Structure formats: structure tokens, C-alpha cells
Amino acid sequence: MSIDVLNETDEKVDELELLACSKYVLEQMRVNPQADLCIKLVDEEAMEVLHVQWMDLPGPTDVMSFPMDELRPGREGQEPEEGTLGDIVLCPSVATRQAAEAGHAPMEEMLLLTTHGILHLLGYDHAEPEEEREMFELQRQLLLTFLATRGRPGA
């Protein structure tokens, strides 16, 4: 599995922890081990440009996902599709503010956003209430089990 983490900001981020979380989520979702993923960390200015360009919404956001080959989670007993999963773009400064509001560590917010972004790459969405329940419950399960493997308390 090829996962690249590119930090284009001045923020100190535990890139190895983002990498470990991504690998864990991809394995749990039975994504082909040959799939490629890129996680890019950008500042608020760069995120705002992407947010306006792709979502037609003002201001920076926390995470955006850009799927490539529209891979889906693998199913038990079936060989998962090969291909490029896509890119996740995270904004650490927005994540840090959100973490403060939520009362947890900035890194936990970054792990949450990474998990959220991967689920979007795999076709999950939260536009409808039913979709939101499914996606957010899966996101919660994946993050809590990942944190448990790292010996960290859940958020």
C-alpha cells in the first residue's frame, strides 16, 4: 500500500500517526493493498482556494477528498479492486480550532478527518440523514479501534 503524507504547512503534525491511521482504516475497509493514497496538509489560503473551486463555498474547510478510481470497500471473500484511491487534503489550522471547540487534542481531530476523508474516497457520504448515520458510525468505530491499538483513549 502506498500512502504519501505531504506537509506543505509550517504546522508540526505527527505524519507517522496519520500514516498509521490511514493504513489501519484501509486494511479494515479491505482496500486492495496495492491502492495509492496521498494525504496533503495545506494552509488555510490553499484550502480556501480548493473549497471555492470544487465546492463553491467560501473560506477554508477542514478536509476535502478527491477520489481517483472510485474504489469501494472490499467484500469478504472477494479480491478488492486495484487502483488509485485518491487524495485527501487536510487543513491543520482549521483542525486545531475544531479540536479546541470539541475538547480534544488536535492530533485526534486530524485522525478523525483522515478517517472521514478515506470514507469519502470509498464512496461514503453524509448528505442524507441515513447516509450520515452510517458514515459517522463507521468513522467512529474505525477511529476508536485505531486509537485502542495505539493505547490512546477514545475521544
Side-chain angles (χ1 to χ4, degrees):
M1 192 166 296
S2 171
I3 304 170
D4 293 319
V5 179
L6 310 172
N7 189 350
E8 298 180 354
T9 73
D10 294 331
E11 305 266 342
K12 284 195 63 113
V13 175
D14 188 343
E15 295 168 23
L16 293 178
E17 194 73 352
L18 291 179
L19 185 65
C21 179
S22 300
K23 185 175 182 197
Y24 178 83
V25 170
L26 294 174
E27 287 171 355
Q28 294 301 305
M29 298 304 293
R30 296 186 177 97
V31 173
N32 189 298
Q34 301 303 313
D36 296 321
L37 170 66
C38 179
I39 301 170
K40 186 183 284 194
L41 309 173
V42 300
D43 62 22
E44 290 187 33
E45 186 177 308
M47 184 59 100
E48 182 172 15
V49 168
L50 292 172
H51 202 212
V52 169
Q53 179 181 356
W54 293 99
M55 304 296 291
D56 200 24
L57 294 171
T61 190
D62 52 4
V63 61
M64 293 184 71
S65 298
F66 298 93
M68 295 295 283
D69 291 338
E70 297 186 11
L71 299 180
R72 296 297 178 250
R75 298 187 189 279
E76 188 92 28
Q78 291 182 345
E79 187 67 30
E81 286 183 62
E82 289 186 31
T84 301
L85 192 55
D87 299 336
I88 298 170
V89 182
L90 299 172
C91 187
S93 59
V94 172
T96 298
R97 282 197 303 276
Q98 288 177 177
E101 292 168 13
H104 55 249
M107 193 62 209
E108 287 178 2
E109 186 73 13
M110 296 289 291
L111 296 172
L112 170 76
L113 296 173
T114 298
T115 303
H116 186 86
I118 290 171
L119 291 178
H120 273 305
L121 292 178
L122 291 171
Y124 287 86
D125 201 0
H126 47 85
E128 300 296 324
E130 176 95 8
E131 293 173 332
E132 182 176 332
R133 272 191 299 280
E134 179 185 6
M135 181 179 181
F136 283 42
E137 178 56 30
L138 180 56
Q139 173 181 292
R140 185 180 163 282
Q141 273 181 344
L142 289 165
L143 184 59
L144 288 176
T145 55
F146 170 73
L147 291 173
T149 69
R150 307 300 272 188
R152 295 170 68 172

